[in-house]
Amino acid sequence: AQRSDLTASVSAQYEEMKKGLNEMNLKLEEEKQLSSAVKRDMTRQYKGMQEGLLNKINQNENSIQTLTDELHEEKKHSKKSLEEKDKIISEKDEHIQCLKDKMEDLCLNFANMIKDALDQMKERIEVQSACYDEKSVPIQHRLEEFKFN
């Protein structure tokens, strides 16, 4: 009887342990499923974030390329504008120098014309003065004629 009590007791403990083992196995299975679901969810979120970041990287690279292209175009335009401005300034400087040279020539010609005119006037005055001296009567004689003395 003791043996059957012991067997029954061991059998009951065995059944209880088997039942506990089954419960633990169920709990383990639930935890595995929960863990698996969490892993899948985290993997999905990670892949979504990774895809989003790759899209941002691609957009930023495209923006960088576009801005770089615009910068190069602006540099070309700026360089072309500077060259055109320098060309215009150079042409204006040449024109100014040409006008200065022309003005200098005109001034020299005018100075020569005035010198020639003055020389001619001087000659005429000298000629007339010589003629006048020969014909001239002293002023006192002329005044005497009018009796101003």
Side-chain angles (χ1 to χ4, degrees):
Q2 230 186 357
R3 203 167 199 222
S4 79
D5 281 342
L6 186 59
T7 304
S9 170
V10 169
S11 225
Q13 282 181 351
Y14 172 76
E15 287 299 323
E16 204 173 298
M17 286 179 103
K18 191 175 176 184
K19 186 177 175 184
L21 181 63
N22 284 337
E23 286 177 9
M24 289 293 177
N25 280 336
L26 283 174
K27 209 172 192 184
L28 178 65
E29 194 59 39
E30 287 175 6
E31 288 295 322
K32 280 183 179 180
Q33 288 177 359
L34 181 62
S35 176
S36 179
V38 168
K39 283 180 188 177
R40 280 193 306 270
D41 189 45
M42 289 180 75
T43 301
R44 182 186 53 78
Q45 287 178 2
Y46 173 79
K47 285 182 179 180
M49 286 173 46
Q50 187 178 26
E51 188 175 317
L53 290 173
L54 286 174
N55 286 338
K56 277 187 177 181
I57 288 170
N58 288 334
Q59 288 174 350
N60 289 338
E61 285 176 349
N62 289 337
S63 294
I64 289 170
Q65 186 60 46
T66 301
L67 292 173
T68 302
D69 293 344
E70 288 176 12
L71 179 64
H72 288 296
E73 287 300 316
E74 286 298 320
K75 282 183 178 179
K76 284 180 188 176
H77 180 70
S78 177
K79 184 178 178 183
K80 184 178 177 184
S81 294
L82 282 174
E83 288 172 354
E84 289 173 359
K85 177 194 65 89
D86 289 344
K87 181 181 176 189
I88 290 170
I89 289 172
S90 176
E91 289 171 356
K92 297 277 183 183
D93 286 344
E94 288 176 14
H95 185 67
I96 288 170
Q97 189 59 46
C98 181
L99 290 175
K100 282 182 179 180
D101 292 344
K102 199 176 206 180
M103 190 171 69
E104 186 68 31
D105 288 344
L106 289 173
C107 285
L108 287 174
N109 288 338
F110 186 68
N112 288 334
M113 286 172 51
I114 289 177
K115 183 181 177 284
D116 290 345
L118 288 175
D119 288 344
Q120 287 176 359
M121 287 173 67
K122 183 179 175 185
E123 283 179 27
R124 284 184 187 165
I125 290 172
E126 286 174 356
V127 168
Q128 285 181 357
S129 178
C131 288
Y132 185 71
D133 283 343
E134 291 172 6
K135 294 180 183 178
S136 73
V137 178
I139 291 181
Q140 287 183 348
H141 293 331
R142 288 180 98 189
L143 289 177
E144 287 174 4
E145 288 176 12
F146 294 109
K147 294 183 185 178
F148 284 116
N149 249 353

